[in-house]
Amino acid sequence: MNILDKIVADKRKEVDLKKSLITVPQLEGSILMERTSVSLATVLRKSGRGIIAEHKRRSPSKSVINQNLNVQDVATGYADAGVCGMSVLTDGKYFGGSLDDLVLARAAVNIPLLRKEFIIDEYQIVEAKAYGADVILLIAAILSKEEIKRYSELAKSLGLDVLLEVHNEEELQKSIMPSLDMLGVNNRNLKTFEVSLETSKSLSTQIPDDFVKVSESGINSIEAIQDLMAYGYQGFLIGENFMKTNDPGASAKLFIDELNN
């Protein structure tokens, strides 16, 4: 089993347990179900910067990144820095996140929040809306074409944006459908964990212009973003680069100010 298979196997057990503790009707009773979501795709289309900043405590590839920060402070810092959106990892076992992080970030800011999670069940999509997300992530590597269609259509019915993540041409070709808003290319090879921006460049021409193109992983310089913009990318997911500092918000502000100059 590679790491992704292991995460998915654990996630199935976790979701089964959650379903027995909190039912879908209970989730649907959340006051946040009534909230009108803010579209990340719309914000990215209008922005000349396209920064989506992440809150991530640790990861399987880097172990501890930053365990010491308050998620509300990070969210406020990112919003003040002028990011287009914030990605909040809610996986506990491998990334040290939780749904509480999503709720706390939502209480602090009104910028678009992406629930970064390994979604393998419709339950998690209702859960995302109930806990204040504006956007969900779907990962093509762990879903069938039929699941991508079903999950993305459910998300749209709840008013959520959908970012679909691919790693190669095969995943991209099975995934293109009208119920997606953004197509994200992850530059990290999930088998080796090596990162190359060439992945985003090589797939750029195969992503129709109807979708906002987002590049993920390994983006840690202004030059990388300028380079990728030439390939039509409008969104850039940056995680560890900000989170490994003592003040992610201040780091994001410096980065965005430099990008604007």
Side-chain angles (χ1 to χ4, degrees):
M1 277 179 119
N2 64 31
I3 186 68
L4 196 58
D5 295 334
K6 197 165 176 346
I7 290 171
V8 169
D10 285 336
K11 192 58 62 179
R12 291 195 192 284
K13 291 177 196 160
E14 180 190 313
V15 172
D16 284 345
L17 177 62
K18 279 186 165 184
K19 283 177 168 176
S20 69
L21 297 171
I22 303 174
T23 65
V24 169
Q26 283 174 304
L27 288 174
E28 289 170 343
S30 161
I31 194 156
L32 286 167
M33 293 297 285
E34 306 302 316
R35 178 180 165 273
T36 302
S37 301
V38 183
S39 169
L40 177 60
T42 302
V43 175
L44 290 175
R45 278 198 179 95
K46 291 177 179 169
S47 169
R49 302 184 293 269
I51 303 298
I52 306 162
E54 194 152 83
H55 178 265
K56 175 160 64 172
R57 292 187 179 88
R58 53 188 165 88
S59 75
S61 62
K62 287 273 168 72
S63 63
V64 173
I65 298 162
N66 196 328
Q67 307 260 49
N68 305 321
L69 300 172
N70 176 320
V71 68
Q72 287 176 292
D73 294 341
V74 175
T76 305
Y78 281 158
D80 291 346
V83 302
C84 291
M86 177 176 173
S87 165
V88 182
L89 271 138
T90 59
D91 174 78
K93 183 169 181 180
Y94 295 91
F95 291 88
S98 73
L99 280 163
D100 286 346
D101 290 336
L102 191 57
V103 169
L104 290 169
R106 177 79 293 146
V109 296
N110 198 36
I111 58 172
L113 295 182
L114 163 69
R115 181 187 185 188
K116 187 94 173 280
E117 182 55 271
F118 299 85
I119 289 180
I120 42 87
D121 194 291
E122 279 111 328
Y123 179 88
Q124 294 162 287
I125 300 166
V126 180
E127 196 177 49
K129 176 73 177 174
Y131 281 81
D134 300 281
V135 194
I136 60 157
L137 175 75
L138 296 178
I139 302 172
I142 62 175
L143 300 171
S144 67
K145 183 172 187 172
E146 200 279 322
E147 284 171 327
I148 293 167
K149 183 173 189 294
R150 201 166 75 239
Y151 296 170
S152 57
E153 286 175 354
L154 170 60
K156 297 312 294 174
S157 76
L158 294 172
L160 297 169
D161 269 11
V162 181
L163 169 63
L164 185 112
E165 176 180 297
V166 300
H167 298 83
N168 55 44
E169 187 178 346
E170 183 188 354
E171 290 175 9
L172 178 61
Q173 294 311 326
K174 80 170 181 186
S175 305
I176 293 173
M177 56 187 75
S179 44
L180 307 175
D181 302 283
M182 296 161 280
L183 274 162
V185 178
N186 193 330
N187 301 305
R188 189 185 302 282
N189 181 315
L190 289 180
K191 295 185 173 68
T192 63
F193 276 97
E194 287 172 2
V195 175
S196 170
L197 297 185
E198 293 306 314
T199 311
S200 282
K201 294 177 185 177
S202 64
L203 291 179
S204 64
T205 55
Q206 296 168 57
I207 301 173
D209 290 337
D210 316 3
F211 307 104
V212 175
K213 295 180 194 175
V214 178
S215 186
E216 309 170 17
S217 295
I219 301 166
N220 49 26
S221 70
I222 302 297
E223 293 71 32
I225 288 179
Q226 290 167 337
D227 197 8
L228 290 165
M229 279 178 172
Y231 288 83
Y233 284 90
Q234 292 175 290
F236 308 94
L237 184 67
I238 301 180
E240 292 165 15
N241 201 42
F242 301 146
M243 281 301 292
K244 67 187 179 189
T245 68
N246 291 328
D247 189 338
S251 303
K253 186 172 189 331
L254 280 173
F255 192 90
I256 289 169
D257 287 349
E258 195 182 334
L259 192 57
N260 287 338
N261 288 337

